[in-house]
Amino acid sequence: WQALVSTVLLSLWMVAQRRSFPLDRRTLVFYVIMALTGTAAPQVLSLAASDQIAVAVRSIMFALIPMISLGFGLLFRIETVSGRRLLGLLLGFIAIGIIALFGSDNAGFGGKELSFLWFGAMLLVVALYAFENNWVKLMMPGDMNPFVALLGANLFSVFLLIPVMLAQTDTWIGLPLAFDGIHARPTFMFWLVTAIQIIAYGGFVFCIDKGGPAFAGQVSYIVTASGVLWGLIIFQQERLTPAIVIALIVVLGGIALVNPNRQGAADKT
């Protein structure tokens, strides 16, 4: 529903702005891959894993996005290599190793033992987001508005998610439209989160286009810190074990190292 509502709202915005919606073959491929790797597949997997992996651990794993983005960026030759950035990439994998080897007893949702199957699924989610970052930088037309790209991604996400939605007949939830009674709060939160996602995701695509995938991935600082904090506040049965705290410190250090050298960028300009 969120993809569908986002598509409608972004379409109205595009009409109001009198912007065109490119539909040539190259742009269609761009939309589909962006939808698959940045919206449809990772959101389904992340939602399925949400009640299997502790919130703090998932937040730490999302911090790997700029590091894996750097790996894809080096592969696609859109990022520059340096010893400092490679060390940051290595620290990301060390953090995951710490959680897997020393923190698995309490890394599951609610303080349960970690399921390595869902741990692997979350790693796939992180890899998909990292790939999408590079895909946007590499393939988005230079004159395309970020919100037009977001419209294309949401539009094709709707088609990609229809089979998943139809398969969940036992857990069907209609489009939230009731703003009174017991459904008022969930409905309000759905529309608020949808609006926030459109603005945040559009801004993120803009950052990828202007600063590069690894630079845009620095939002992981906020995602990780806020995710760990809210996880502790809302899910009080979860706790930070020494292994998870060490992994958090290591991964934040890795993010700092993979960040593009600002002085070097200034010198180039």
Side-chain angles (χ1 to χ4, degrees):
W1 288 122
Q2 195 172 61
L4 179 60
V5 171
S6 296
T7 299
V8 173
L9 293 178
L10 286 166
S11 297
L12 294 174
W13 167 84
M14 192 181 69
V15 171
Q17 293 288 315
R18 297 182 178 179
R19 292 184 178 272
S20 60
F21 186 62
L23 287 172
D24 57 275
R25 182 177 178 180
R26 182 179 181 276
T27 308
L28 285 174
V29 172
F30 167 71
Y31 291 147
V32 172
I33 300 300
M34 185 179 175
L36 181 63
T37 60
T39 305
Q43 287 193 4
V44 169
L45 286 173
S46 183
L47 182 62
S50 62
D51 61 349
Q52 301 292 331
I53 301 178
V55 176
V57 174
R58 282 191 288 129
S59 300
I60 293 172
M61 294 179 75
F62 277 121
L64 292 172
I65 293 175
M67 302 171 200
I68 300 178
S69 290
L70 173 62
F72 280 122
L74 295 175
L75 180 64
F76 297 143
R77 298 183 179 180
I78 57 178
E79 291 283 0
T80 56
V81 64
S82 69
R84 175 180 62 86
R85 302 185 81 188
L86 290 177
L87 177 59
L89 185 62
L90 177 62
L91 287 179
F93 290 108
I94 290 175
I96 289 302
I98 291 172
I99 294 174
L101 295 176
F102 305 107
S104 61
D105 289 346
N106 302 99
F109 183 75
K112 297 180 292 186
E113 186 174 354
L114 178 67
S115 166
F116 284 96
L117 174 63
W118 289 109
F119 189 67
M122 278 303 302
L123 284 176
L124 178 58
V125 168
V126 170
L128 286 170
Y129 279 132
F131 177 85
E132 183 224 11
N133 291 354
N134 286 274
W135 178 259
V136 169
K137 178 64 177 179
L138 194 64
M139 300 299 294
M140 189 171 83
D143 59 345
M144 178 176 285
N145 184 281
F147 290 100
V148 174
L150 186 56
L151 170 59
N154 276 284
L155 174 62
F156 285 96
S157 291
V158 171
F159 294 107
L160 291 171
L161 289 171
I162 284 176
V164 178
M165 184 178 66
L166 294 177
Q168 303 296 318
T169 54
D170 56 333
T171 56
W172 175 269
I173 299 176
L175 177 63
L177 293 173
F179 285 93
D180 57 353
I182 61 173
H183 301 293
R185 183 173 295 178
T187 299
F188 173 76
M189 290 304 300
F190 169 81
W191 289 93
L192 177 62
V193 168
T194 299
I196 292 174
Q197 185 190 40
I198 290 173
I199 297 171
Y201 199 178
F204 184 64
V205 172
F206 175 82
C207 288
I208 294 173
D209 183 45
K210 301 302 180 184
F215 173 77
Q218 300 305 304
V219 298
S220 296
Y221 275 124
I222 301 172
V223 172
T224 301
S226 59
V228 170
L229 178 62
W230 283 112
L232 292 174
I233 293 174
I234 298 174
F235 303 100
Q236 297 183 3
Q237 69 271 37
E238 295 186 4
R239 59 189 179 88
L240 290 180
T241 63
I244 293 177
V245 172
I246 293 172
L248 175 61
I249 295 171
V250 170
V251 81
L252 290 177
I255 295 175
L257 289 174
V258 300
N259 185 26
N261 188 296
R262 293 181 179 178
Q263 184 61 45
D267 292 341
K268 289 180 182 180
T269 56

